[in-house]
């Protein structure tokens, strides 16, 4: 089976001759982007060259909830229009040359959290993971994390239940508002969110990026890497 090390090898081979190397990692909600990005930080940073690798999320460039409410698109969070793409693109350009502020997002409060903002100096490698990326994003390599829709739905529901469980004990959690639900009702709510929000976003806006990806990472139902395909230039395949 292919591994994160195989993916890191492909990515390192595709790096530019000089300057910061910006890698974008996208895929459906709950498909494991953050986990894979963290593993890549270790795999790339552990190479003999010892590059300095940083990781950021695109969630910090989602408009604050107050703005989304004002625009009537709070239920479209994660869709293209919910992101400040101009600010995201500007940050990705600037970080190649100078220290750059990347805002942070908290799933606990379901909103931008100023305390999570980070200033990143130009790294050797920057991995930016999340939604809101498009063909115009100033990145060097685009990685698409692919999986069956049914698996992604199951992963999303499991993640939602995890947040719901935290909300049972933490009144500051956004998910505390669902404390009166039992586990079965919380799972039904999660399934409804998937069907009405995340699945349409996946089909209409996220999955089309698969065609633009330089590398596709296909995952099995257990989150293992089943296949890695380099789309350009020679279609090299692992797994």
């Amino acid at each position: 089976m292919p591994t994160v090390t195989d993916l890191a090898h492909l990515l390192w081979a595709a790096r530019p001759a000089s300057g910061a190397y910006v890698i974008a990692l996208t895929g459906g909600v709950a498909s494991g982007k953050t986990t894979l990005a963290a593993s890549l930080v270790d795999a790339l940073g552990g190479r003999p060259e010892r590059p300095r690798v940083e990781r950021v999320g695109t969630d910090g460039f989602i408009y604050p909830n107050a703005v989304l409410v004002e625009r009537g698109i709070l239920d479209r969070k994660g869709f293209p229009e919910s992101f400040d793409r101009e600010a995201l693109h500007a940050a990705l350009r600037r970080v190649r040359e100078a220290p750059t502020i990347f805002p942070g997002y908290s799933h606990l409060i379901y909103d931008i959290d100023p305390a999570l903002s980070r200033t990143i100096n130009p790294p050797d490698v920057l991995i930016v993971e999340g939604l809101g990326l498009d063909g115009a994003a100033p990145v060097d390599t685009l990685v698409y994390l692919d999986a069956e829709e049914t698996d992604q739905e199951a992963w999303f529901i499991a993640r939602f239940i995890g947040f719901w469980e935290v909300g049972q004990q933490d009144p500051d959690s956004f998910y505390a508002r669902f404390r009166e639900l039992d586990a079965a009702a919380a799972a039904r709510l999660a399934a409804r969110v998937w069907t009405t929000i995340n699945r349409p976003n996946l089909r209409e806006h996220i999955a089309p990026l698969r065609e633009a990806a330089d590398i596709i990472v296909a995952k099995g139902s257990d989150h293992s890497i089943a296949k890695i395909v380099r789309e350009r230039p020679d279609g090299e395949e692992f797994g």
Side-chain angles (χ1 to χ4, degrees):
M1 296 290 287
T3 65
V4 173
T5 300
D6 293 321
L7 177 57
H9 171 74
L10 283 178
L11 290 168
W12 188 252
R15 72 191 187 281
S18 62
Y21 178 26
V22 180
I23 300 166
L25 173 59
T26 194
V29 174
S31 60
K33 298 181 293 296
T34 301
T35 300
L36 179 57
S39 296
L40 281 172
V41 169
D42 293 335
L44 288 167
R47 291 187 61 84
E49 300 86 349
R50 297 298 180 189
R52 188 169 65 84
V53 186
E54 294 282 1
R55 173 172 62 92
V56 296
T58 62
D59 285 353
F61 293 92
I62 294 175
Y63 289 112
N65 285 354
V67 174
L68 297 178
V69 169
E70 181 182 353
R71 297 182 181 181
I73 57 171
L74 183 61
D75 61 350
R76 301 276 291 179
K77 183 178 283 193
F79 281 71
E81 62 269 29
S82 68
F83 284 88
D84 187 345
R85 283 185 166 181
E86 183 177 342
L88 171 60
H89 291 185
L92 293 178
R93 287 191 295 268
R94 178 177 172 80
V95 76
R96 298 176 186 269
E97 307 291 342
T100 303
I101 296 174
F102 283 83
Y105 181 89
S106 169
H107 285 285
L108 176 70
I109 64 173
Y110 196 62
D111 203 352
I112 300 298
D113 185 348
L116 299 179
S117 177
R118 298 170 57 207
T119 298
I120 295 180
N121 293 318
D124 297 310
V125 181
L126 177 70
I127 301 171
V128 54
E129 55 89 5
L131 306 183
L133 294 160
D134 59 19
V139 303
D140 299 304
T141 300
L142 174 62
V143 179
Y144 185 83
L145 192 51
D146 200 16
E148 294 293 335
E149 263 192 24
T150 52
D151 291 333
Q152 294 187 63
E153 178 180 4
W155 297 338
F156 172 75
I157 292 173
R159 189 179 77 171
F160 186 100
I161 292 299
F163 289 144
W164 170 79
E165 289 174 343
V166 171
Q168 300 299 299
Q169 307 298 326
D170 188 349
D172 293 328
S173 168
F174 170 83
Y175 293 84
R177 67 192 63 196
F178 305 125
R179 279 187 297 187
E180 301 306 315
L181 300 179
D182 60 22
R188 288 194 296 271
L189 173 60
R192 187 161 66 249
V193 171
W194 172 266
T195 300
T196 60
I197 299 175
N198 293 323
R199 186 171 66 190
N201 192 21
L202 174 65
R203 292 178 176 179
E204 297 167 17
H205 304 290
I206 304 169
L209 289 172
R210 188 183 190 280
E211 301 304 316
D214 300 291
I215 297 173
I216 296 172
V217 177
K219 297 184 70 176
S221 59
D222 61 352
H223 275 291
S224 63
I225 297 176
K227 185 184 298 184
I228 301 172
V229 179
R230 183 168 61 188
E231 288 295 279
R232 296 187 292 269
D234 59 5
E236 185 176 1
E237 183 175 311
F238 293 79

